[in-house]
Amino acid sequence: MGNGKTPLYLTLAAAVLFVLAVLTIQPYSVTSPWHVYDEPARLYLQAAARGDSLDLARRTSDPSAVRWALAAARAEPDSLALWAHEARAWAGHHRGDATDVFLSTRVSTCDLVMRFVGAGKSTRVERASSACLEPR
């Protein structure tokens, strides 16, 4: 004869196995293909926030990207500092050897659009723009 606790133990064991399976398998944890641009974007924005034109020149393929970054740093230093630490790519579009990437932060209502050329370690910013970071 049982003591009536067997169904409770089986339910608890099943719940523990379910939680372990979810943590192990992690369904719906698809990584965005655009996140490969997070680091190059942040490094570019960090160089802009520091006003480091040499580092910006190294990270860009077009002088206009350097000029935009330095102007944005002068116009909106606090906003640019936030972007430099929190920018995350959420969408993009490949066009030949260039990729337009949309970045956002948790607190900004604006998007930052960057065009990247190259791949891997040789990824460079060709162009950047944002309505929130444009010089006035």
Side-chain angles (χ1 to χ4, degrees):
M1 240 197 191
N3 59 9
K5 292 186 179 183
T6 302
L8 176 64
Y9 291 136
L10 289 175
T11 303
L12 288 175
V16 168
L17 288 174
F18 176 75
V19 168
L20 287 173
V22 166
L23 291 175
T24 302
I25 298 170
Q26 294 187 359
Y28 310 112
S29 62
V30 177
T31 302
S32 168
W34 308 112
H35 288 310
V36 298
Y37 297 99
D38 288 352
E39 183 180 3
R42 286 186 194 138
L43 292 172
Y44 166 77
L45 295 168
Q46 288 167 6
R50 291 190 312 270
D52 188 342
S53 58
L54 290 175
D55 195 20
L56 283 168
R58 219 172 33 87
R59 298 186 183 285
T60 60
S61 66
D62 191 296
S64 65
V66 174
R67 287 191 298 274
W68 181 88
L70 294 173
R74 282 190 301 274
E76 297 290 338
D78 295 335
S79 294
L80 190 67
L82 172 73
W83 278 94
H85 293 288
E86 292 191 14
R88 290 186 53 88
W90 60 272
H93 177 71
H94 293 290
R95 189 176 313 153
D97 65 344
T99 304
D100 293 327
V101 178
F102 295 84
L103 299 111
S104 64
T105 68
R106 290 179 288 151
V107 295
S108 179
T109 57
C110 286
D111 287 327
L112 175 61
V113 181
M114 292 181 150
R115 174 168 287 169
F116 292 93
V117 292
K121 297 287 185 188
S122 65
T123 301
R124 303 281 182 261
V125 176
E126 182 178 303
R127 185 175 57 208
S129 65
S130 173
C132 294
L133 297 175
E134 292 300 321
R136 293 183 180 114

